[in-house]
Amino acid sequence: MSTAVGTGPQGSATPPMVEARGVRKSFGHVEVLKGIDLTVAPREVMCIVGPSGSGKSTFLRCINHLERVDAGRLSVNGHLVGYREKGGRLHELRDSEVAAQRREIGMVFQRFNLFPHMTALENVVEAPIQVKGVGKAEARERGAALLERVGLADRMHNYPNQLSGGQQQRVAIARALAMEPMLMLFDEPTSALDPELVGEVLDVMRGLAADGMTMVVVTHEMGFAREVGDTLVFMDDGAVVEAGDPRQVLTDPQHERTRAFLSKVL
């Protein structure tokens, strides 16, 4: 199977938030993405699972042009990511234009990447002030509200080394939300956490999904995918093997490779 079309809660009539067609990416002689076709609808939660090295994180990084695609087309909200098309050819955007596109796309990584010399609140307000030109008072008010939203109202003046891993990841989510993105990307956001801290991060993500945030989540948390996901995509060896309703894929996978993978993780 090479095509995965997420229907999302809005149905197929809604223009896609993310559309990938024939996306390929190589590192040296190793082809990591082998013609990915995926569609994510607005308000949809797409969960991507698969073994290490299957291309999941690389695809996620291509969505916001942290990695350049070698072939194919990848668009967000109807606009090509990192390129403009002219005369049937793609021309790479200037760095400033790529940066403007990235402002609309929040990304949360495995590692929290917080500024260690800044408090939780300072980490959250830095980008709105420096990148979007938001006034300091307004940014701090909004930042405090976001930290309250992720359950950290009483930790906003703490530094990262005073926070648990789960708390730091929740600060990272608040920091991404501070830019008011239309799309959120999560690259295995709980994989670096102790097991007892995973739930607090997933709870925040559940809240975002309930609020209608469009999300693409690379994850090993099958319970989250089953409960929250609108579409589950299984990738292996740089290709989409199987995709569909998470409950269907998890309980009755159609491809032998999917069955073999799920037998080891469920």
Side-chain angles (χ1 to χ4, degrees):
M1 178 178 181
S2 61
T3 303
V5 179
T7 57
Q10 293 281 317
S12 59
T14 306
M17 178 63 73
V18 179
E19 187 168 28
R21 289 291 171 261
V23 170
R24 294 180 177 272
K25 174 66 181 178
S26 296
F27 295 106
H29 298 295
V30 179
E31 191 174 28
V32 179
L33 299 177
K34 304 176 180 178
I36 300 296
D37 294 331
L38 284 172
T39 302
V40 184
R43 303 176 64 87
E44 178 176 359
V45 178
M46 176 177 283
C47 295
I48 304 178
V49 302
S52 297
S54 59
K56 310 181 302 295
S57 294
T58 298
F59 175 68
L60 210 65
R61 291 171 65 85
C62 286
I63 293 177
N64 66 356
H65 206 57
L66 288 175
E67 299 289 353
R68 295 173 173 84
V69 302
D70 296 325
R73 299 286 191 275
L74 209 164
S75 62
V76 171
N77 198 32
H79 300 284
L80 283 172
V81 174
Y83 299 90
R84 69 166 55 87
E85 189 166 7
K86 185 176 181 180
R89 298 172 63 88
L90 292 183
H91 302 270
E92 191 162 8
L93 298 178
R94 296 189 297 270
D95 288 347
S96 60
E97 295 172 305
V98 173
Q101 287 187 330
R102 286 201 188 113
R103 293 173 200 166
E104 306 292 331
I105 305 171
M107 188 160 184
V108 177
F109 300 88
Q110 298 177 39
R111 297 292 175 179
F112 325 123
N113 299 324
L114 300 178
F115 295 116
H117 62 289
M118 293 184 177
T119 65
L121 181 59
E122 288 168 344
N123 267 280
V124 171
V125 305
E126 178 71 5
I129 292 172
Q130 299 298 330
V131 178
K132 297 185 75 173
V134 177
K136 289 185 179 180
E138 180 184 351
R140 290 179 69 85
E141 182 178 348
R142 285 165 46 186
L146 284 170
L147 287 170
E148 182 176 6
R149 181 179 181 181
V150 300
L152 293 174
D154 59 341
R155 294 287 188 269
M156 66 177 64
H157 300 301
N158 288 47
Y159 289 89
N161 65 2
Q162 299 172 314
L163 302 172
S164 70
Q167 290 170 336
Q168 290 184 61
Q169 191 62 296
R170 284 186 280 157
V171 174
I173 293 173
R175 180 179 59 183
L177 292 174
M179 294 295 285
E180 300 181 311
M182 66 176 71
L183 168 68
M184 285 286 287
L185 310 176
F186 292 87
D187 187 7
E188 300 189 23
T190 61
S191 65
L193 300 178
D194 293 333
E196 65 268 22
L197 302 177
V198 168
E200 61 190 51
V201 174
L202 294 180
D203 282 345
V204 171
M205 295 170 66
R206 289 186 185 95
L208 293 177
D211 290 344
M213 174 63 73
T214 309
M215 298 160 60
V216 183
V217 184
V218 171
T219 185
H220 293 295
E221 302 292 340
M222 298 301 169
F224 175 85
R226 181 194 302 270
E227 175 191 351
V228 181
D230 298 298
T231 305
L232 180 65
V233 175
F234 172 62
M235 287 182 62
D236 188 35
D237 194 27
V240 173
V241 176
E242 187 165 345
D245 181 277
R247 277 65 61 180
Q248 170 93 29
V249 174
L250 291 173
T251 58
D252 186 25
Q254 300 301 299
H255 196 282
E256 177 57 36
R257 183 66 188 92
T258 315
R259 288 193 289 271
F261 173 77
L262 292 177
S263 70
K264 298 175 182 177
V265 299
L266 291 179

